[in-house]
């Protein structure tokens, strides 16, 4: 960029927590990164008043003197994109935490710089583009096997266009070696930089019609979202948001996971770092860490970097989407990000909106979730050639104060996302996990996915799903009656509904994230359990109509047998289910009134 | 600035322009760095301390540790004491008592510091953290069995006023020595705004239990300056970090009462005329609290650890109040005390259902407690929750409307409260807790126990012999 040639320097005139003011900065641009003070702390310009700038600083500002120097860098906050991102752990401004540990020990000190991508590591590059080819941003120059399962596609950076003059031959290169040149003299490397606050370009957005399978029964069957969709997971503390986000990271059918720990616990990150390298990627069998990028800004790390961390995370996710992968972004928790916005806003003395949040909160949240989507990737579109498609699914945890959903972050997010997985503390108290409240949750993607389920899921999926939802609804109504007049007032068929609904809740809806066989549930098993429960209901209802007392039906060991099926592995589940299905029909059919 | 720190130390400035509540304002903000500790020389000759909160060209904002009564704008001067708040650290502090900012109050001479450390602390690099996974046996069934405490965890106790939280904390301190482990154990006790009665209780209880010489106490009492409370937990944790990560101690940090800390935070915030968040607490309270709670943990390659038990009184027993709410979002679970159980004379009166330990799975199972622990706890939890539901239902529809099964759950849940939760001050080992749990599960029919694997049931489940009218298991 041309502006960078003349460096702007000014003087610090105010320090207020994570915000500073500096004078003599005429020429600085909004969003530009500045270096603050002797330590050279990174900050971002968020307001300009003549020659005075206001900047949020991504590191702790204490101990600084007024009058210290502030200098512009001429560039906005960017991330480095190239091979070597997967399996890395970054902080909010993409500094690799391992490198920080090497330079400053177990505690993070200030003013450190570290390059996101290793400049010395050599990667095996195979060219794809050819000399003389016209290329544009998003076209593939070549490939690099980044991890066992992910073939990294080296892309022409966005907004670059031209005819290729030279391409490097296959061989080993570092991320900064030139691997192609254009006729206008542009040198292209395996690495390029991308500003985080601008969405990366794509060719076209498509309606989402492939499911984002989470391997969680309650989500896949009742409230499925699509690849390229967005969903929020709100819940009070202890309702299990983090366990849900981590389960999705482990078991979902995305190819690349970007996990943003924004203002959350350090020990949780330690757990992920200890656990993930030893787990298997469900798609490829490779180590789970090899499909994961962690962006970590724990709650005690500087507050302004929380804002950076969600944008860093989503830009990394978009980069893999542009290569044609299905990417999932987990943001835990978006409320902490919103709180960071609130804190900076109040230091700027802006007029507050609801609950002190800035009035642009909803603009920021909507813009963030709108970066999700299924797209035809940027690049030259060729007639008769299958376009390269990629998707970015965004799942954001929300931490409403006091578990009250009427607060601004939950409400604003609900207006833009297509899925609501509402977690319920009262279910969590009963150790009903995942504590997804079936009466409050919804998914707007189901209609778009109907066709996929008809084609690919076990036959009867759609109708069994509807039956399950109706049954749970009916139970809620009956429970109200019971609360008023006691269970005696109900008829046997109604009591049967209560019993079966309890099976649905205990067996189908609950799923242990810690059980070997139950943590990840495939469609066959998911459907199978529901089919067993509903068949039990149908056959039992017939028996009740033959005037067989409910107590006799309940005392059969069948109910327990159904309950036990969730301990069975995914493999071979269908056979076991079919056998039990026969027994249900036979044994309940054979009951005779005395 | 050209002035060196050494020059500044001797200079006195007569800059005071404005005094409000706990804050004073100086005319010129360029003299001191933010976070610096200043000496404030009063006309009477008394010297107090203050900390620079904010600096602009035209003024600096100072929070006064010992209050502003007696200060004036004409006769008061300030000078730099230190560029940041620090606390002395040495192993000799073990067994000593200090005030909220680290000044000895036990009548003994000041400690000779091995080093002086900034109390603000730095964040542990998340990749340096070691996942907590060592079981701490507290001897309390409600914790060991159902909400297991793990070394490196932060697990707060939420109590209502009048509930025996201090007694529970003391029980944990007395029992959770590191058994079968040669790393030495020490308690760092940070008290913010507690009464003289509570102070005496803790100090006497530590002595009587023989733990007095293993305790470092930082005590800010209810009648001490409120602003000091903002320093107390940080002093305590800085010393804890020194002992854990430089001297290899297993450190248990008790912080009480975090509610008083938050009130002090609110006081400063309102004096600075900041836009208030919920109930007047500042919007950055989550971030501020996290810089305290996140200082628990373990570090790879280090023997020591910091386990935190913050205690806080829930105003009006309201768990959604901002203080317990934000705490719950940062800590790894919570232990909640129940007024109802306390009235029934059950000790410790732990309200099991809203309790949680997020790290429980790391601390239990084969080689740590027992391999059936997870299922056992899930089943007991589910059954107790069902029993509580039925109790509520019974209050509406009467006992006659209950089914036989309902009655069994009810019966189970009563026994659970009186046999399992109520243990008095006696220590109960994890094996005894688990055996007792299985006996209680014997009150329920086997087919109800679907949270437990069949093999586990075969091994441990024994149905309770008679009609279940017995009131004691003869333990």
């Amino acid at each position: 960029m041309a502006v960078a040639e003349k460096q702007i320097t000014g003087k610090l005139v105010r320090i207020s927590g994570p915000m500073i003011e500096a004078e003599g900065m005429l020429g600085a641009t909004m969003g530009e990164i500045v270096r603050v003070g002797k330590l050279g702390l990174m900050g971002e310009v968020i307001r300009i008043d003549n020659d005075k700038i206001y900047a949020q600083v991504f590191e702790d500002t204490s101990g600084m003197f007024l009058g210290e120097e502030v200098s512009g860098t001429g560039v906005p906050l960017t991330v480095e994109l190239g091979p070597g991102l997967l399996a890395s752990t970054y902080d909010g401004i993409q500094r690799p935490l391992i490198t920080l540990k090497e330079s400053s020990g177990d505690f993070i000190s200030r003013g450190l710089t570290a390059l996101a991508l290793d400049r010395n590591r050599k990667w095996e590059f195979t060219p794809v583009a050819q000399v003389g080819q016209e290329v544009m941003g998003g076209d593939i120059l070549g490939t690099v096997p980044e991890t066992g399962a992910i073939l990294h596609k080296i892309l022409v950076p966005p907004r670059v266009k031209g005819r290729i003059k030279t391409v490097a031959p296959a061989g080993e290169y570092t991320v900064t070696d030139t691997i192609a040149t254009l006729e206008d003299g542009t040198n292209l490397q395996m690495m390029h930089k991308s500003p985080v606050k601008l969405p990366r370009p794509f060719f076209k957005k498509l309606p989402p019609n492939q499911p984002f399978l989470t391997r969680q029964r309650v989500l896949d069957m009742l409230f499925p979202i699509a690849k390229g969709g967005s969903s929020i997971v709100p819940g009070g503390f202890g309702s299990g948001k983090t366990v849900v986000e981590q389960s999705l990271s482990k078991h979902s059918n995305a190819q690349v996971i970007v996990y943003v720990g924004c203002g959350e616990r350090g020990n949780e990150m330690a757990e992920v770092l200890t656990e993930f390298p030893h787990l298997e990627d469900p798609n490829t069998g490779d180590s789970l860490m090899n499909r994961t990028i962690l962006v970590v800004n724990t709650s005690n790390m500087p507050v302004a970097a929380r804002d950076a961390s969600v944008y860093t995370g989503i830009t990394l996710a978009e980069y893999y989407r542009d290569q044609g992968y299905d990417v999932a972004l987990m943001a835990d928790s978006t409320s902490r990000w919103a709180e960071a916005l609130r804190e900076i806003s109040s230091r700027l003395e802006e007029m507050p909106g609801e609950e002190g949040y800035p009035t642009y909160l909803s603009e920021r949240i909507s813009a963030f979730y709108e970066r999700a989507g299924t797209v035809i990737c940027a690049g030259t579109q060729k007639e008769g050639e299958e376009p390269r498609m990629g998707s970015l699914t965004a799942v954001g945890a929300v931490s409403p104060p006091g578990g009250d959903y009427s607060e601004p972050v939950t409400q604003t997010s609900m207006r833009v996302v297509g899925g609501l997985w509402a977690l319920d503390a009262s279910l969590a108290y009963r150790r009903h996990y995942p504590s997804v409240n079936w009466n409050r949750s919804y998914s707007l993607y189901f209609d778009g996915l109907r066709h996929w389920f008809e084609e690919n899921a076990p036959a009867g999926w759609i109708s069994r799903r509807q039956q399950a939802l109706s049954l749970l609804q009916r139970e809620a109504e009956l429970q109200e009656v019971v609360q008023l007049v006691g269970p005696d007032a109900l008829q046997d068929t109604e009591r049967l509904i209560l019993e079966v609904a309890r099976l649905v809740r205990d067996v189908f809806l609950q799923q242990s994230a810690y059980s070997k066989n139950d943590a990840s549930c495939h469609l066959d098993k998911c459907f199978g359990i529901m089919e067993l429960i509903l068949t039990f209901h149908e056959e039992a209802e017939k028996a009740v109509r033959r005037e067989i007392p409910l107590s006799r039906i309940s005392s059969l060991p069948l109910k327990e047998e159904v309950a036990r099926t969730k301990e069975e592995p995914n493999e071979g589940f269908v056979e076991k289910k079919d056998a039990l299905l026969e027994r249900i029909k036979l044994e309940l059919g054979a009951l005779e009134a005395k | 600035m050209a002035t060196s720190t050494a020059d500044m130390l001797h200079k006195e400035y007569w800059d005071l322009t404005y005094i409000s509540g706990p804050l004073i304002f100086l005319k010129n903000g360029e003299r001191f760095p933010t976070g610096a500790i200043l000496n404030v020389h009063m006309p009477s000759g008394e010297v107090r301390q203050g900390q620079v909160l904010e600096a602009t060209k035209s003024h600096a904002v100072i929070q006064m540790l010992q209050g502003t009564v007696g200060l004036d704008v004409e006769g008061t001067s300030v000078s730099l004491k230190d560029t940041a708040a620090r606390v002395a650290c040495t192993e000799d502090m073990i067994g000593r008592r200090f005030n909220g900012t680290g000044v000895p109050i036990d009548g003994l001479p000041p400690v000779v510091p091995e080093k002086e450390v900034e109390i603000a602390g730095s964040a542990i690099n998340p990749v340096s953290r070691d996942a907590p996974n060592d079981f701490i046996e507290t001897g309390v069934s409600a914790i060991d069995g159902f909400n297991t405490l793990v070394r490196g965890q932060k697990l707060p106790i939420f109590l209502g006023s009048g509930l025996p939280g201090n007694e529970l904390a003391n029980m944990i301190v007395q029992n959770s020595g590191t058994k079968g482990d040669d790393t030495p154990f020490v308690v760092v006790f940070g008290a913010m705004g507690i009464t003289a009665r509570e102070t005496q209780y803790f100090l006497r209880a530590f002595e009587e239990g023989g733990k007095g010489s293993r305790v470092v106490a930082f005590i800010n009492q209810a009648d001490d300056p409120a602003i000091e409370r903002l320093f107390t937990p940080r002093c305590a944790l800085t010393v804890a970090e020194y002992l854990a990560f430089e001297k290899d101690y297993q450190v248990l940090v008790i912080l009480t009462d975090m509610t008083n800390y938050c009130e002090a935070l609110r006081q400063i915030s309102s004096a600075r005329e900041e836009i208030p968040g919920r109930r007047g607490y500042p919007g950055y309270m989550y971030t501020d609290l996290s810089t305290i709670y996140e200082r628990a943990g373990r570090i790879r390659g280090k023997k020591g650890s910091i386990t935190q038990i913050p205690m806080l009184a829930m105003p009006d027993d309201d768990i959604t109040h901002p203080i317990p709410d934000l705490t719950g979002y940062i800590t790894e679970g919570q232990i909640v005390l129940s007024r109802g159980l306390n009235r029934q004379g059950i000790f410790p009166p732990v309200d099991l259902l809203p309790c949680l330990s997020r790290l429980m799975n790391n601390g239990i199972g084969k080689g740590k407690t027992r391999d059936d622990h997870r299922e056992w706890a899930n089943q007991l939890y589910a059954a107790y929750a069902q029993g509580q539901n039925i109790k509520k239902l019974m209050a509406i529809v009467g006992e006659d409307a209950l089914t036989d099964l309902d009655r069994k759950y009810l019966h189970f849940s009563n026994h659970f409260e009186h046999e399992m939760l109520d243990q008095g001050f006696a220590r109960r080992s994890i094996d005894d807790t688990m055996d007792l749990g299985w006996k209680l599960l014997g009150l329920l029919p086997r087919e109800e126990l679907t949270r437990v694997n069949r093999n586990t049931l075969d091994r441990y489940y024994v149905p309770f012999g008679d009609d279940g009218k017995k009131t004691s298991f003869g333990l």
Side-chain angles (χ1 to χ4, degrees), chain A residues 577-592:
Chain A
K577 173 206 70 176
D578 286 344
L580 186 54
L581 216 52
E582 281 313 303
R583 274 187 51 204
I584 291 175
K585 287 180 186 159
L586 215 69
E587 289 180 30
L588 286 174
L591 287 179
E592 277 177 41

Side-chain angles (χ1 to χ4, degrees), chain A residues 218-296:
Chain A
V218 55
L219 304 183
D220 284 348
M221 191 155 199
L222 301 184
F223 314 109
I225 66 162
K227 277 182 185 166
S230 55
S231 175
I232 54 167
V233 189
F237 65 83
S239 55
K241 292 182 296 297
T242 302
V243 178
V244 168
E245 296 257 356
Q246 288 189 7
S247 291
L248 299 193
S249 305
K250 288 178 196 166
H251 308 299
S252 71
N253 62 348
Q255 291 164 300
V256 174
I257 305 277
V258 179
Y259 193 103
V260 182
C262 171
E264 289 287 308
R265 304 177 183 88
N267 277 338
E268 274 166 9
M269 288 300 126
E271 251 179 74
V272 169
L273 288 168
T274 331
E275 204 183 353
F276 276 29
H278 307 292
L279 295 175
E280 248 182 39
D281 178 346
N283 298 321
T284 63
D286 195 8
S287 158
L288 193 61
M289 205 58 208
N290 281 344
R291 74 160 181 179
T292 311
I293 305 172
L294 294 173
V295 179
V296 182

